[in-house]
Amino acid sequence: YPLVIWLHGMGDGAEDGTQVNRSNIAAWTSDEFQARFHSGGAFIFAARSREEDGITWEDSMIEPLRAAIDEFIAENGENIDLTRIYIGGYSMGGKMTLKMAIAYPEMFAAIFPICPAWSPDEYLTTHLNITPVWIVSSSRDPLVNYDLAVKPTFDRIVSNSNIPADCRLSTVGAVCYPDGSACSSAHHTWFAVNNDMFT
């Protein structure tokens, strides 16, 4: 089975369960979502940064997160397809998604940073030259500026990619819950991803 690593945003890692409940990543464990993986399912690894101890997704967490992923793989290795490890997350977790893929480009089959709260420079994006990337953001995001941060990040990734056709940017305007009601902020584009509002 593939392994999907999920990284929460700021404020959603303060206690067990918040990294799952506040983002609705649990929807990916439903029979309907699991059936979309052509092996018939996937592991979902929802990491937590332990914000109650003042730990957030920063550079100092790159190696510990890699160690946690390696430990999970060691425990479940015979059931994990090591060629299909994916990482994604939102806001601060989107930043960490980019940082992990830059640090370990050989590890991930693809990445999906959502409204990433970091914009890597030209040199750093060269480390993503063989990585399929899907960035999702709202053009109305009040926290991560689309025109100054998100779009330039995507442009740098594509310009340095050996596989630009495997990179995409999905831009939404208003961000809604599955029932059509507006999210409290256009920053919350992870609801569009986790509820697959693209299909």
Side-chain angles (χ1 to χ4, degrees):
Y1 298 103
L3 170 61
V4 178
I5 298 145
W6 178 248
L7 303 176
H8 63 80
M10 183 70 77
D12 290 351
E15 59 185 58
D16 277 338
T18 56
Q19 79 275 26
V20 173
N21 299 332
R22 291 193 183 166
S23 66
N24 201 29
I25 190 64
W28 287 42
T29 67
S30 70
D31 291 343
E32 192 269 331
F33 260 68
Q34 288 285 298
R36 296 178 184 203
F37 295 95
H38 52 43
S39 53
F43 285 93
I44 311 294
F45 181 89
R48 187 168 72 85
S49 69
R50 298 188 59 84
E51 287 181 290
E52 73 275 22
D53 296 328
I55 302 170
T56 58
W57 296 131
E58 298 297 337
D59 289 358
S60 62
M61 289 298 292
I62 292 173
E63 289 185 17
L65 180 56
R66 171 65 192 256
I69 295 167
D70 287 344
E71 182 178 336
F72 184 85
I73 291 170
E75 292 172 359
N76 300 281
E78 69 277 6
N79 296 312
I80 294 175
D81 180 349
L82 298 178
T83 68
R84 291 191 294 158
I85 299 175
Y86 307 95
I87 189 167
Y90 57 99
S91 196
M92 175 181 72
K95 171 185 76 174
M96 193 63 164
T97 294
L98 290 164
K99 287 183 177 279
M100 289 295 289
I102 288 167
Y104 307 109
E106 75 293 340
M107 184 175 201
F108 302 107
I111 68 171
F112 57 106
I114 305 164
C115 55
W118 180 59
S119 187
D121 64 25
E122 189 79 24
Y123 170 72
L124 289 175
T125 60
T126 64
H127 295 278
L128 301 173
N129 66 337
I130 59 167
T131 305
V133 178
W134 178 30
I135 297 178
V136 180
S137 184
S138 170
S139 59
R140 305 177 191 173
D141 192 319
L143 299 179
V144 180
N145 188 283
Y146 181 85
D147 295 313
L148 298 178
V150 176
K151 182 69 166 62
T153 293
F154 181 74
D155 290 344
R156 283 192 291 272
I157 289 170
V158 169
S159 70
N160 288 305
S161 179
N162 293 338
I163 49 168
D166 291 335
C167 299
R168 68 176 173 163
L169 171 63
S170 294
T171 306
V172 298
V175 180
C176 299
Y177 296 111
D179 66 4
S181 62
C183 288
S184 59
S185 171
H187 183 58
H188 298 172
T189 48
W190 54 91
F191 287 106
V193 175
N194 289 347
N195 293 291
D196 191 20
M197 295 170 74
F198 297 92
T199 61

